[in-house]
Amino acid sequence: MAIMRILIHGYDNINIGDDLFFQLLTTKYPNVEFFMISTKDYGSIINRPNFKCIKSNFFNRVCRKLNIIPYQLLFKRFDAIIVIGGSIFMEIGQSGSCGSIVNIRRYKKWFSRTPIHIIGSNYGPSNTDKFEEAVSELFKIVDSVCLRDSYSYNFFKDNPKVSFASDVVFQLPRKDREKKTYNTIGISIINLENRPSLIAHKNSYIKLIKEIINIALSKNNHIKLFSFCENEGDYDACNEILNSYDSTTKNKIEIVNYTGDIDNFLKEFNKVDKLYATRYHAVILGILYQIPMTPLVYSDKILYALNDIGDNIPYIDIRVENNTDPNQMPNFIMDNETLQKVKACSRNQFKSINKLVQNDN
């Protein structure tokens, strides 16, 4: 029997959250052959025998020489397309984040018989009815959509193709944390300079981060600043914070920059005693690893995820003026019973993919 061949469409920008999506997908289905077209060397990041990365520059040159539509060369060989990504339906210009609407419609036009499944995403923020209608119409022409929060799902719940489940990353196999103290505070950093809607909050955000660092250092803690996506400026923001300190203090602050080594990044992340999480997937990993955590919310998508998980989970919203004493910032740790429920819910992200793969066997 022929091996099922699936094309992955996702955010290929060396972002730990999205790279975990790709790793989990390819690990979950070892008997499926997965392909991705990218300018990046994803073959060395998702280092699995059932995953192949096709370099897009080479691919586009071949298509031009053969005078064919991009992807037409390959799609006769694929059994399905899986679109897997988080914030891929934000209203940015006319196309949506990462051009998701345009790209998926092209797939549907060029390869109308190829099943398309969307998993792991959320909807918004959006500003117009026109954009909501565009996403709604897109969801009608694909085979299934699984969103990652109930807020997003409620926009499209009348469509039987649409469902929701907790974030894909909750399916990450979890190694138990070692029962020892590292005297380390972890802070995931985001670059507000590159985000027009958030740049006005940059100074207050940096001030808050430095207050957290100073308090931690006064208690003889080591600091790890986590950069989840260098290409989105996280690493630059970490260095800006680090370079504001003198050389003696710098020795107590370490930057953990994700460059494609998933296992090492997760190992370092799991070695913190307390976490201040700005990135969405820093919050998800903090919950998964049951690290005492304070979410530093920069987007409503984090609030929607927290609301689905539990009531009254404490957080600090960096977009609003607050008078929280950094010495008394609220934090929480996910109890095991709730975590198991969230993980069970997360499995439903793969419900349509399971059916697709089983039907082929």
Side-chain angles (χ1 to χ4, degrees), residues 327-344:
N327 283 291
Q328 299 178 348
M329 293 183 73
N331 67 84
F332 79 102
I333 183 169
M334 183 60 66
D335 65 272
N336 196 57
E337 182 180 354
T338 303
L339 177 59
Q340 295 311 313
K341 289 179 181 177
V342 172
K343 287 171 67 67

Side-chain angles (χ1 to χ4, degrees), residues 221-281:
N221 287 297
H222 182 72
I223 307 295
K224 287 184 187 289
L225 302 179
F226 289 96
S227 162
F228 274 52
C229 184
E230 181 175 344
N231 292 325
E232 290 184 3
D234 292 12
Y235 186 55
D236 290 338
C238 289
N239 274 300
E240 180 180 344
I241 293 166
L242 178 65
N243 291 330
S244 68
Y245 287 95
D246 60 42
S247 56
T248 301
T249 307
K250 282 182 180 180
N251 292 330
K252 301 173 184 177
I253 303 173
E254 174 187 2
I255 297 177
V256 182
N257 183 37
Y258 175 65
T259 57
D261 188 337
I262 294 174
D263 290 342
N264 184 65
F265 188 87
L266 293 180
K267 181 180 177 182
E268 292 300 315
F269 192 89
N270 207 11
K271 288 182 177 179
V272 301
D273 303 300
K274 186 174 180 180
L275 176 65
Y276 295 88
T278 314
R279 277 282 185 178
Y280 178 96
H281 278 109

Side-chain angles (χ1 to χ4, degrees), residues 35-49:
F35 295 81
M36 177 186 288
I37 300 169
S38 177
T39 59
K40 310 288 196 309
D41 182 18
Y42 263 87
S44 62
I45 296 172
I46 312 301
N47 187 18
R48 292 190 49 78

Side-chain angles (χ1 to χ4, degrees), residues 262-310:
I262 294 174
D263 290 342
N264 184 65
F265 188 87
L266 293 180
K267 181 180 177 182
E268 292 300 315
F269 192 89
N270 207 11
K271 288 182 177 179
V272 301
D273 303 300
K274 186 174 180 180
L275 176 65
Y276 295 88
T278 314
R279 277 282 185 178
Y280 178 96
H281 278 109
V283 175
I284 301 302
L285 288 170
I287 291 171
L288 181 67
Y289 290 143
Q290 295 179 292
I291 302 171
M293 174 177 61
T294 303
L296 304 177
V297 171
Y298 75 93
S299 168
D300 285 348
K301 66 183 180 182
I302 301 173
L303 297 182
Y304 301 145
L306 292 176
N307 288 339
D308 284 336
I309 290 167

Side-chain angles (χ1 to χ4, degrees), residues 190 192-193 195-202 298-299 318-319:
I190 197 167
L192 302 188
E193 192 81 35
R195 300 168 185 265
S197 64
L198 294 171
I199 191 170
H201 305 291
K202 177 186 173 180
Y298 75 93
S299 168
I318 66 170
R319 301 166 297 179

